[in-house]
Structure formats: structure tokens, C-alpha cells
Amino acid sequence: LLLGTPSADLDLVVEGDAIGLARAMAGRYGGRVSSHKRFGTAKWRLDPAHAALAREIGVPPGSKLPVTIDLVSARTEFYAHPTALPSVQRGSIKLDLHRRDFTINTLALRLDGRHYGELLDPWGGGRDLQDRLVRVLHSISFVDDPTRMLRAVRLEQRLGFIIETRTLELMQQALPLIVRVSGERIRNELQAIFSEGCRAAILRRLAGLGLLAAIHPSLEWDEWLESRFEAAASFQPPAAWKLGAAPSAELLLYALWLARLDPDEAISVCHRLHFAGNMQAAVLEANVVTRSVASWLGGLPPSEAVAHLDAFRESSLVAAWMALTDAPDPRRIIETYLSHWRWVHPTTDGERLRALGIKPGPAYREILAHLRAAWLDGQLESQAEEQGLVEALMREALRVG
């Protein structure tokens, strides 16, 4: 509200039982509640309760209530050791605000009775908001949770603020602790960064502060990556490629990030970020395709290129195509494969070979592969020519048999 920008969501803090309040609200207005007793949190899904609630609180025509409202009991947190997940216990709103990461995130509006609309600002967030500063709340904040360093940069770049000087010093001191943070948590923060419109500026700043290298020494940032990331974020596959499903932006971004790395380095980064099996396989395949296709300096016959590229999934090929932006000939190979070559198949099939008297076995695969290669390499131009080649191959197969 103070910045004049839309709010991403609506969160309510309750000095008391947030789960009980959520259930009471759902009992009165409808909707469903899911909760997490350990942390005292509840999510109230309003739909289909919009109409009754909107009427009671006087929502203006044309305005919409949020689909969900998050409620949390005011609490304080304790960290058993650096980078550990916090232990929590009930607390006051002042203590609850103090557990936030930065002062500008400690502002709250009271919603109770005669205090409705009063601004709570116990930790100087309003001043830092006015001065456009990202300031950590206490000196061991990054020690308690090193991922806050990534969030500091994300907020700084999103809002056009500056990280306060002492906060920057504390970040530099805490850099070595980032290695203790799990790959899943790091990846969650990176995913949040990928979702930002200013993702390139965030990653540039992270690299400049040494945070990317602290996550893994092979994670770098440069102008080439910046241009590729921006292209990937708006990528729409050509209709001629007939992809089963467009690759996710996350997969493309990680594949591009690792495309130029040595294979061992790429594997090491995947392990550090603890990718799921499918994601890791696709990213590493993109690395292999990028390097191998770029090495086909003299070109390959289409049949040989297809035999190589058939082994890889679509998403990996798309990522490699994007990574080869500075290599037009190799890039054209992937583009032609996706739009044309992979759809080339002979009209002859196993049933036809059986009808010709060839017993099922390895010869089927060999004959069909030979026919496809002949079509790909321009050695066949009609079904009649294919039939002639089939008969020649059949005679050869019968002689061998």
C-alpha cells in the first residue's frame, strides 16, 4: 500500500489461535481450511464463499476477494544451530514482526475494533521504506538463515532499493554458510528469482556479491547468459516442432545455465541443487547435445544426425537449440530435426515385411532403419523406389538367413 503497488497476497497474523479463527470464519462464510498445527498456520480457501462474505463486508462491485487468505498465530522463533529450520512458540505481534527477514517486511496494519487501520512499525520499517533501503533486522539473521541473502538481493532489485551498508557487511561474513543450506532450499529461492521480471538484474547482482560462486563455484553470470535467459522467459516453440509439451521455463533456464559447463561440472551443480531425476536428466542431456552438435563442424548426413538426436528428449533438444544461438549451423541441425527429420519414416512396416515372408527378428529393425536412412539422406524419392530397396534388402536378409 505504501509503495502504491499491488499486493501479491493477504496474510493475517493473530495474537492467539489462528487455526481456530480460520475454522470459525469458514463455519460462518463457507470455504475450506487446511492447517499446520506445528507452526500455527491456516489457509482459508474462500471459494465458493465469495458472495456471502463480499455482501457482508461491502466489497465494491467489480472488485474481487482473494481466493485464499493465510492466517498465522503470532509467534517467535529459535534456531538450534545456523541454517537449521526454526523452532517456534506463541508470541506477541511485536515479536512476530521481529522474526521477519528485513525491516521493510515488519510493517503491519491493525484490523481490530477501534484500532482498525493503525500502522504497526516497531522496527523502523517505515523509515527504511522511505529511504529505499533493505536492512536486516539483527546481526545474526544471515547466520540463522543464509537464504535471506538471496532474498535481500531479490527485494533490492525488484523494488529498486539499495542493500544497507551494514547489511552488506553481514552478508559477506555469512557467505561461507551458504554451503550448509540444502539444495532444495537454494533451488526454491532460485525459482522465486526466475519468476521475477528483473531476474537478470538479480542474478547479475548475486554474481557480483559472490553469492552464486558461494552456492557452487561453477555458477557464473555473463552477458551471454543474460540474453539467453531473457529469450527463454518468453520462448514459444514453433508450431512446426509439434512438441508433446513445451519445456518449462525452469528447465530451460537451468539447462542454459549449465550448457557451457564441462560435463563433470554440470553434474556437480545438479547434485548441489539436488535436482529431481527428470530435471537432472534433461539438463545434463542438454549439456551433452550442446557440446556434441557444436562439434559437428563438417556436418553429418541427416541419417547420422537423426540416429544421434533420437536418443534425447524434446526439452533437452530445445534447450540446446537455445544455447547454440552463436552457432547457426549446429542450431539449424536441431531445428531441422525437430521440425522435419524426426517425422520421416518409411511407408513399409513390420506387417509388410511379414507379408513378404521375412521371419520376425533383428532383420526387421535393420531393414526399417536402412529405409529411414535412405529417405533422410535423399536416396529415396518415391514409394516405388522404397519398394525396390525393400526387395533388395529382403533378398540380402534371406541370403544371410
Side-chain angles (χ1 to χ4, degrees):
L1 288 172
L2 293 173
L3 291 175
T5 59
S7 176
D9 53 16
L10 183 60
D11 300 322
L12 300 179
V13 180
V14 182
E15 286 189 329
D17 183 4
I19 296 175
L21 176 60
R23 288 172 177 164
M25 296 294 282
R28 179 167 180 174
Y29 298 107
R32 295 175 293 113
V33 173
S34 57
S35 61
H36 196 306
K37 186 174 181 180
R38 176 187 173 191
F39 293 105
T41 60
K43 183 179 290 291
W44 177 25
R45 291 171 175 80
L46 298 179
D47 198 23
H50 284 128
L53 184 58
R55 282 195 302 271
E56 178 154 336
I57 65 177
V59 174
S63 298
K64 292 183 178 180
L65 290 172
V67 175
T68 63
I69 294 179
D70 291 323
L71 298 94
V72 58
S73 296
R75 64 188 193 264
T76 186
E77 296 178 341
F78 303 93
Y79 291 83
H81 57 82
T83 75
L85 293 175
S87 300
V88 301
Q89 67 180 42
R90 292 278 181 91
S92 66
I93 184 63
K94 183 175 181 180
L95 289 175
D96 187 87
L97 294 175
H98 191 255
R99 69 182 178 82
R100 310 302 166 89
D101 41 16
F102 308 106
T103 58
I104 57 174
N105 286 336
T106 63
L107 297 166
L109 287 175
R110 287 189 67 165
L111 301 180
D112 52 318
R114 64 184 179 86
H115 298 287
Y116 185 89
E118 289 182 11
L119 178 66
L120 299 179
D121 183 13
W123 307 110
R127 179 184 64 250
D128 286 337
L129 197 70
Q130 186 174 12
D131 294 340
R132 305 181 72 80
L133 293 175
V134 177
R135 184 195 306 271
V136 78
L137 266 153
H138 50 84
S139 60
I140 63 169
S141 183
F142 298 131
V143 175
D144 287 340
D145 184 359
T147 62
R148 287 172 174 162
M149 293 186 278
L150 302 177
R151 291 200 292 276
V153 174
R154 179 155 55 91
L155 276 176
E156 177 193 50
Q157 298 301 311
R158 179 205 293 168
L159 300 175
F161 284 15
I162 296 173
I163 297 176
E164 179 263 340
T165 302
R166 176 56 180 160
T167 300
L168 274 177
E169 293 175 355
L170 293 170
M171 288 173 65
Q172 291 301 310
Q173 294 170 13
L175 274 181
L177 294 176
I178 203 80
V179 299
R180 303 187 190 180
V181 180
S182 70
E184 290 88 347
R185 294 186 64 207
I186 293 292
R187 204 174 63 250
N188 287 340
E189 292 298 327
L190 291 174
Q191 180 58 38
I193 290 169
F194 292 165
S195 301
E196 296 279 354
C198 57
R199 66 189 69 81
I202 297 172
L203 291 162
R204 192 186 320 128
R205 177 71 157 146
L206 289 173
L209 292 172
L211 269 162
L212 292 184
I215 294 171
H216 192 284
S218 296
L219 287 180
E220 300 178 345
W221 189 254
D222 56 23
E223 291 182 1
W224 183 90
L225 274 170
E226 189 160 323
S227 66
R228 290 301 85 209
F229 263 50
E230 290 310 301
S234 58
F235 172 72
Q236 292 294 329
W241 290 4
K242 301 176 186 176
L243 298 184
S248 69
E250 181 184 17
L251 188 155
L252 288 179
L253 294 177
Y254 278 123
L256 287 167
W257 211 352
L258 276 58
R260 298 176 298 170
L261 297 183
D262 175 271
D264 289 339
E265 291 178 324
I267 292 171
S268 180
V269 173
C270 289
H271 289 169
R272 171 66 183 99
L273 297 180
H274 208 267
F275 285 144
N278 287 338
M279 172 73 79
Q280 176 168 314
V283 168
L284 294 179
E285 279 186 9
N287 178 277
V288 171
V289 175
T290 301
R291 298 167 66 85
S292 60
V293 176
S295 70
W296 299 346
L297 300 178
L300 290 177
S303 59
E304 290 187 36
V306 168
H308 180 82
L309 296 177
D310 274 348
F312 300 103
R313 62 197 77 198
E314 287 181 337
S315 56
S316 303
L317 295 172
V318 172
W321 176 83
M322 300 192 76
L324 290 164
T325 182
D326 300 323
D329 290 339
R331 195 179 205 226
R332 196 174 300 115
I333 291 173
I334 296 176
E335 189 170 328
T336 306
Y337 172 83
L338 288 170
S339 61
H340 176 61
W341 287 343
R342 64 181 175 143
W343 307 114
V344 173
H345 294 281
T347 57
T348 301
D349 57 17
E351 290 300 319
R352 173 63 177 159
L353 295 179
R354 183 191 295 271
L356 291 172
I358 301 177
K359 294 181 179 180
Y364 277 34
R365 183 172 60 253
E366 294 171 6
I367 292 173
L368 295 176
H370 196 120
L371 292 174
R372 187 184 186 205
W375 277 108
L376 286 165
D377 294 340
Q379 297 168 4
L380 295 178
E381 295 183 355
S382 68
Q383 289 188 11
E385 291 182 355
E386 179 183 304
Q387 181 60 34
L389 182 55
V390 169
E391 292 172 357
L393 292 171
M394 184 181 68
R395 288 192 295 268
E396 178 66 24
L398 291 174
R399 280 198 302 271
V400 172

